[in-house]
């Protein structure tokens, strides 16, 4: 059966008297609604994970691609001179939007998670760091390395490429995993609805035969089963989605300090994406029940 406007109207605004064709399923109906709610709840988190991973990949790609770091590894008495020489080179380097040497306080803050906040930089051979921000044209890293090697022997350029690629790849795979999880959840809903529909059709085989004797068509009988199971899946998924969105409100807000673990919720218009989950569950139930009904009615012919 094709899912179109007429079919949707038949499901949500159809002949409610046809529901009497399908006897109440009792505990099976409750399990169907419960399973759809649980799957929808899990789908909300899988969708949030995928969208958060996508945001993370975009942010890492943009930030790391436009930044670089130069380390001045030189004796203490030459470090200031080589730092000034490197900054002069950067001022005339095409593609450099800004460059500055980090202060002792900033470098101490970077090392604090490993060495503590009381670290004295003059007691360790810590290189001076220069932060380089690129413009839209980008920097010729190979050419800049040659200039630095010739004029500032203690300078080491790190364009973050070795860090950027693995991070973006990991975030991209995590995003794919999230969408794959949603597909698996949809497949699980389809399997669950198919089993429940087959059980209901088999249990009502005698009722179906009687309905045929009094003139009911297979389309009328099948629509009764499709309507009931579609509404069960839709209502259960709607409840599960609502509970998932409420749970999302209790997650920590996104922040630079917290990183990925504080950005798992939805942001902006992404809050509209979970609203598709009940519709997807209803469409899956519609297709699964329709296939089960056609097969069983054909077998009972």
């Amino acid at each position: 059966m094709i899912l179109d406007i007429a079919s949707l109207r038949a499901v949500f605004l159809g002949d409610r008297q046809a529901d009497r064709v399908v006897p109440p399923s009792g505990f099976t109906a409750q399990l169907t609604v419960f399973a759809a709610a649980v799957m929808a709840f899990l789908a909300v988190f899988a969708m949030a994970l995928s969208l958060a991973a996508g945001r993370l990949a975009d942010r890492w790609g943009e930030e790391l691609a436009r930044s670089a770091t130069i380390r001045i590894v030189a004796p203490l008495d030459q470090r200031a001179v080589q730092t000034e020489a490197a900054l002069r080179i950067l001022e005339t380097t095409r593609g450099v939007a800004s460059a500055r040497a980090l202060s002792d306080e900033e470098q101490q803050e970077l090392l604090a998670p490993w060495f503590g906040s009381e670290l004295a930089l003059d007691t360790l051979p810590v290189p001076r760091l220069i932060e380089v921000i690129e413009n839209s044209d980008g920097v010729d890293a190979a050419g800049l390395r040659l200039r630095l090697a010739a004029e500032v022997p203690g300078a080491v350029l790190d364009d973050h490429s070795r860090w950027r690629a693995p991070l973006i790849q990991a975030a991209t795979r995590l995003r794919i995993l999230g969408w794959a999880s949603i597909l698996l959840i949809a497949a699980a809903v389809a399997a669950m609805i198919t089993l429940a529909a087959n059980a209901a059709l088999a249990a009502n085989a005698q009722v179906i035969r009687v309905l045929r004797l009094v003139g009911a068509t297979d389309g009328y009988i099948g629509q009764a089963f499709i309507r009931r199971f579609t509404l069960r899946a839709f209502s259960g998924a709607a409840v599960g989605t609502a509970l998932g969105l409420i749970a999302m409100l209790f997650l920590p807000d996104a922040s630079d300090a917290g990183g990925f673990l504080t950005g798992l919720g939805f942001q902006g218009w992404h809050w509209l994406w979970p609203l598709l989950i009940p519709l997807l569950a209803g469409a899956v139930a519609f297709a699964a029940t329709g296939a089960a009904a056609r097969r069983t009615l054909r077998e009972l012919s």
Side-chain angles (χ1 to χ4, degrees):
M1 185 174 292
I2 300 176
L3 183 61
D4 52 15
I5 299 299
S7 300
L8 291 176
R9 186 181 295 111
V11 169
F12 291 99
L13 303 174
D15 184 6
R16 297 181 182 273
Q17 298 299 324
D19 288 348
R20 299 180 180 180
V21 172
V22 185
S25 302
F27 191 59
T28 304
Q30 299 174 6
L31 285 178
T32 303
V33 175
F34 175 76
V38 171
M39 292 299 180
F41 185 85
L42 296 176
V44 170
F45 281 88
M47 185 176 292
L49 175 65
S50 181
L51 293 174
R55 292 193 301 268
L56 192 66
D58 294 338
R59 187 180 68 186
W60 281 346
E62 181 179 353
E63 292 180 356
L64 293 178
R66 295 189 56 191
S67 64
T69 303
I70 295 179
R71 302 191 306 274
I72 305 299
V73 184
L76 187 59
D77 57 344
Q78 301 179 17
R79 193 172 303 167
V81 175
Q82 293 200 24
T83 300
E84 291 298 327
L87 290 173
R88 286 195 299 270
I89 292 175
L90 293 172
E91 289 176 357
T92 59
T93 300
R94 182 177 180 181
V96 175
S98 64
R100 69 180 185 91
L102 271 63
S103 64
D104 291 341
E105 292 75 14
E106 289 175 315
Q107 294 197 187
Q108 187 170 358
E109 185 178 352
L110 290 176
L111 296 173
W114 291 274
F115 297 99
S117 58
E118 303 299 327
L119 173 68
L121 293 181
D122 55 0
T123 62
L124 291 174
V126 178
R128 177 64 62 189
L129 299 181
I130 299 177
E131 180 187 47
V132 181
I133 304 299
E134 304 176 14
N135 58 27
S136 58
D137 296 332
V139 173
D140 180 8
L144 180 57
R145 284 192 178 95
L146 291 176
R147 291 189 62 188
L148 291 172
E151 303 181 37
V152 188
V156 179
L157 174 64
D158 183 1
D159 60 0
H160 300 165
S161 58
R162 61 171 178 166
W163 304 102
R164 183 174 67 250
L167 290 175
I168 295 177
Q169 185 181 42
T172 301
R173 289 181 177 178
L174 193 60
R175 174 169 50 184
I176 294 174
L177 179 62
W179 290 115
S181 299
I182 294 176
L183 293 179
L184 290 176
I185 290 172
V189 171
M192 177 266 299
I193 294 294
T194 300
L195 291 174
N198 284 332
L201 288 162
N204 293 284
Q206 189 62 37
V207 175
I208 292 173
R209 293 189 179 95
V210 172
L211 289 171
R212 282 174 168 171
L213 290 176
V214 299
T217 63
D218 286 351
Y220 180 84
I221 299 171
Q223 183 61 41
F225 284 92
I226 292 173
R227 172 182 166 82
R228 174 165 292 187
F229 280 97
T230 300
L231 291 179
R232 286 175 185 171
F234 178 83
S235 58
V239 172
T241 300
L243 293 176
L245 291 176
I246 293 174
M248 283 292 165
L249 296 177
F250 291 94
L251 292 178
D253 294 332
S255 65
D256 294 335
F260 176 66
L261 293 179
T262 59
L264 288 180
F266 298 101
Q267 296 181 9
W269 63 271
H270 285 169
W271 282 97
L272 299 177
W273 275 103
L275 301 181
L276 298 177
I277 293 176
L279 298 177
L280 177 62
V284 169
F286 181 92
T289 308
R294 288 193 300 271
R295 182 172 58 255
T296 302
L297 292 173
R298 193 164 51 245
E299 293 173 352
L300 294 177
S301 298

